[in-house]
Amino acid sequence: MINTIAFIGLSDVINGLSLGSRLFLIAVGLSLIFGVLGVLNFAHGAFYMIGAYVALAVTNNLVDNFWLAVLLGATAVGIIGVLIEVGTIRPLYGRLDGDLDQLIVTFGFVLITHEAIRLIWGSKSYSLDPPAVLDFPVSIGGSSFTAYRLFVIGAAFVVMVGLWVFITKTYFGSLVRGTSSDREMASILGVDVPRLYTGVFFLGSFLAGLGGALAAPLQSISPGLGEQVIIDAFIIVVIGGLGSLSGAFVGAMFVGTLQAIGPKFMAAGHVAIPFLAMVLVLLFRPEGLFGGFGE
């Protein structure tokens, strides 16, 4: 064990944080939507994938501007999320079996999206170059990393702080917190709950698309991109606590680091380590390590 740990270097930690940062952007949107709307959105991985494909399409066919491609990818996913929430999820809120219906509807969109991607782009993998301004190596402690990888880690921290300020310090954030606690009371007090739900769904979808677009230069873009990522996102929100922003952040960094250093401990079977962590949390702290919306 000591010899194994000795081989864990800064590069493993940075790679883990980089992966965790990408996972955070999808997990926090998933957690936000569940914390406010009570919707466990199976299509969130598909949103992540769409963000990557839209960024790819913009840079290849419209304008060779990575930052514009990222913005358009995230915005397009946010709009798609709004259309899905208004058209298919909103009518299910009042149903007795609404939770099950929501799961079925969002899972249906996973299948639709997967086939649509295959129809438009085919089954092959694509790659997207990082922006030229960040496409250079950075040496830290004897290890070399691309500047873009470090940028993604910094972006995750910025998003986390921005969301915390938004949820805890703004008027709209107070409406979101109040509605997540008691929808009926918020409605009686004059809050337009359906519109607020749509706004939160847009934000959560936007973050998933942002994660996919930012991750595009760091991984291959293929129709299976959203499948593994949604599994990781569910593990993260269970570990951190459904609805918890800080839980999503800590959980994402934890899972990302486990996936990066896992092979150092177990050449085979290391993929099971995050699942084991999730099982332990469910057994001993079922509400998650940071249970509670906005915490």
Side-chain angles (χ1 to χ4, degrees):
M1 179 69 71
I2 295 176
N3 291 334
T4 303
I5 294 176
F7 285 102
I8 298 175
L10 182 61
S11 61
D12 298 308
V13 176
I14 294 295
N15 288 334
L17 293 178
S18 173
L19 176 56
S21 298
R22 288 174 264 158
L23 292 176
F24 166 70
L25 291 173
I26 180 174
V28 73
L30 182 69
S31 192
L32 183 66
I33 289 173
F34 180 83
V36 180
L37 282 70
V39 175
L40 204 51
N41 181 20
F42 262 103
H44 220 66
F47 290 170
Y48 179 92
M49 177 176 63
I50 293 172
Y53 271 102
V54 171
L56 176 71
V58 170
T59 53
N60 286 350
N61 304 312
L62 295 179
V63 55
D64 188 14
N65 185 315
F66 177 80
W67 305 112
L68 180 61
V70 168
L71 178 60
L72 290 178
T75 304
V77 174
I79 293 171
I80 291 171
V82 166
L83 295 176
I84 290 175
E85 193 274 336
V86 172
T88 63
I89 296 178
R90 184 181 293 181
L92 305 177
Y93 288 140
R95 289 193 183 181
L96 184 61
D97 296 325
D99 293 344
L100 178 60
D101 292 341
Q102 291 163 10
L103 288 176
I104 294 171
V105 166
T106 55
F107 183 71
F109 277 107
V110 173
L111 302 179
I112 293 170
T113 302
H114 187 271
E115 292 307 310
I117 292 292
R118 286 166 55 93
L119 180 66
I120 298 170
W121 280 283
S123 300
K124 70 175 187 176
S125 298
Y126 296 87
S127 60
L128 184 64
D129 293 330
V133 69
L134 293 173
D135 192 13
F136 61 89
V138 176
S139 294
I140 305 176
S143 300
S144 182
F145 314 95
T146 61
Y148 183 75
R149 189 176 294 275
L150 299 176
F151 165 79
V152 171
I153 296 174
F157 278 88
V158 171
V159 170
M160 174 60 203
V161 173
L163 282 175
W164 180 81
V165 171
F166 171 73
I167 294 297
T168 62
K169 304 297 181 182
T170 68
Y171 173 71
F172 187 80
S174 67
L175 294 182
V176 169
R177 284 183 283 116
T179 305
S180 70
S181 301
D182 194 329
R183 174 183 178 178
E184 288 74 19
M185 181 58 69
S187 182
I188 292 172
L189 294 175
V191 177
D192 189 342
V193 174
R195 182 176 295 181
L196 184 139
Y197 275 14
T198 301
V200 171
F201 207 93
F202 171 84
L203 178 59
S205 303
F206 179 92
L207 290 170
L210 179 65
L214 288 176
L218 300 175
Q219 60 189 44
S220 61
I221 305 170
S222 67
L225 178 59
E227 295 172 6
Q228 181 56 47
V229 115
I230 190 61
I231 295 173
D232 291 335
F234 277 123
I235 293 174
I236 289 165
V237 296
V238 168
I239 291 175
L242 281 165
S244 170
L245 303 182
S246 55
F249 184 80
V250 173
M253 297 305 169
F254 176 68
V255 169
T257 303
L258 281 182
Q259 291 187 358
I261 69 175
K264 301 285 185 178
F265 292 92
M266 301 170 61
H270 64 272
V271 228
I273 298 176
F275 290 92
L276 176 61
M278 179 183 71
V279 169
L280 292 175
V281 169
L282 286 174
L283 286 174
F284 298 104
R285 191 175 170 83
E287 71 275 17
L289 299 179
F290 298 82
F293 177 72
E295 295 181 3

